[in-house]
Amino acid sequence: MYSTLKEVLKEANDLNMAVGAFNTHNLEMLPAIIKAAVKEKTPVIVQTSCGTANYIGHKNLVSICKSMADEYGAEVVLHLDHAKDYDEIRKAIDAGYSSVMFDGSSLPLKENILGTKRVVAYAKKYGVSVEAELGTVGGTEDGIAVAQDEVRYTDPADAVEFVKQTGIDALAVAIGTNHGQYKSKTNINFERLKEIKDVVDIPLVIHGGTGVKEEDVKKVIDLGIRKFNVGTELLVGWNRESKACYDEHKENISNRENVVPCLNVIEEIVSRKIKLFKNID
Ligand code: 13P
């Protein structure tokens, strides 16, 4: 089944769990991500940056996600991650993405609201879900770096106003996580997350999921996180395995000998993450 973000996050909310949102960087990762979700019996969000979408082709991604959802019996959302440009968002919606994120987090609140409203107006015509961000997550995403002194936690009062005015389906919160953090772990501001959850009644999204300590996953889900983004851990897992395989194998070996072990690593990571996100004691 090819679903929207709104639909799967509603299911997650009913079950007090989070849905895993995994960034793919190439076509090869897709079946591994989707098969892991089927094995764990949960929906899955496949997300691409604008860069990945343009590299693979939006329509290719849409048709492959739909056909894999059918073939494997999976519930799949295809989501555009961190788009700052309205035209990039339109391109994804027109091609059939079922969910998009407008990232106006670097803009003043008023402009973030205006930009987000414009995206929501377009997306709603096609039944596409919208995530937006308030505050700033640190670290580096798709080559764009946010310095630590530019990081701003999400302000709960602003969040209330933002959600009310924009009509978004999910809110990405800045609570101390960083994109791309994999050599150390994040100190999450649980107090701030609770303050936001107490006043905002739509699903909340955590970015920079790679750096989140396993023991913190349950705590943030209990505080309203319903979409859990993981990117860097897959990338590092793939690259490490790939490097080892290419170093070890002869140059005229079938390419599958180098790729399949990487897929196994991806499937294992996605499976392990989803088990945590199910939030079952
Ligand atoms: P990580 O790459 O740090 O896991 O973050 C992923 C993310 O938040 C995508 O938006």
Side-chain angles (χ1 to χ4, degrees):
M1 192 191 334
Y2 187 60
S3 295
T4 64
L5 188 66
K6 189 174 179 174
E7 287 163 337
V8 298
L9 297 191
K10 159 102 185 52
E11 292 169 40
N13 201 45
D14 292 346
L15 297 167
N16 189 31
M17 60 172 275
V19 182
F22 301 96
N23 288 76
T24 188
H25 292 260
N26 57 28
L27 268 182
E28 295 289 333
M29 282 190 191
L30 278 177
I33 293 172
I34 294 174
K35 278 185 197 164
V38 171
K39 202 171 76 191
E40 299 302 334
K41 300 189 174 54
T42 63
V44 68
I45 300 156
V46 172
Q47 52 188 19
T48 71
S49 63
C50 296
T52 303
N54 286 314
Y55 161 65
I56 298 176
H58 297 73
K59 288 195 172 153
N60 293 334
L61 279 156
V62 170
S63 57
I64 287 168
C65 280
K66 285 182 176 169
S67 70
M68 282 187 185
D70 271 357
E71 187 176 335
Y72 302 140
E75 182 167 13
V76 181
V77 175
L78 178 60
H79 175 81
L80 186 71
D81 194 25
H82 286 288
K84 292 177 183 286
D85 181 44
Y86 182 72
D87 290 334
E88 285 289 349
I89 290 183
R90 272 189 70 147
K91 214 193 302 180
I93 293 174
D94 293 349
Y97 271 58
S98 58
S99 178
V100 292
M101 175 187 187
F102 173 68
D103 180 358
S105 59
S106 58
L107 303 170
L109 177 64
K110 227 173 166 177
E111 285 173 43
N112 191 358
I113 290 175
L114 283 176
T116 306
K117 274 174 91 165
R118 187 172 177 220
V119 167
V120 170
Y122 191 72
K124 290 287 139 136
K125 281 200 265 180
Y126 300 91
V128 170
S129 307
V130 179
E131 172 187 338
E133 179 172 321
L134 200 58
T136 41
V137 175
T140 303
E141 176 81 12
D142 214 27
I144 299 168
V146 176
Q148 278 304 309
D149 57 358
E150 289 169 29
V151 171
R152 278 179 294 111
Y153 289 150
T154 305
D155 179 90
D158 286 352
V160 172
E161 202 50 34
F162 188 74
V163 169
K164 193 168 97 193
Q165 290 207 32
T166 58
I168 50 170
D169 301 296
L171 177 70
V173 289
I175 49 168
T177 57
N178 298 300
H179 286 121
Q181 180 177 8
Y182 73 100
K183 291 186 173 163
S184 58
K185 290 292 174 191
T186 306
N187 287 323
I188 292 183
N189 188 332
F190 296 105
E191 194 51 45
R192 179 59 62 99
L193 179 57
K194 183 173 181 320
E195 286 165 14
I196 301 166
K197 179 193 156 51
D198 283 347
V199 291
V200 167
D201 64 356
I202 64 167
L204 303 177
V205 181
I206 200 160
H207 283 247
T210 296
V212 176
K213 294 174 203 143
E214 293 206 344
E215 65 266 30
D216 288 347
V217 170
K218 179 175 176 41
K219 288 194 216 165
V220 297
I221 293 174
D222 288 342
L223 290 172
I225 293 295
R226 297 290 170 247
K227 175 174 181 274
F228 215 114
N229 286 9
V230 180
T232 303
E233 191 165 342
L234 302 186
L235 199 58
V236 171
W238 175 288
N239 287 343
R240 280 188 184 146
E241 186 65 21
S242 172
K243 191 169 181 318
C245 287
Y246 280 101
D247 281 350
E248 183 189 329
H249 292 143
K250 288 196 287 191
E251 63 190 23
N252 62 349
I253 199 168
S254 161
N255 197 247
R256 287 195 301 280
E257 302 293 326
N258 293 321
V259 171
V260 172
C262 302
L263 297 181
N264 293 339
V265 168
I266 297 294
E267 205 171 322
E268 186 276 318
I269 296 170
V270 172
S271 237
R272 182 160 43 78
K273 292 287 173 188
I274 291 179
K275 280 193 174 77
L276 293 169
F277 300 160
K278 284 197 232 177
N279 196 20
I280 298 167
D281 294 321

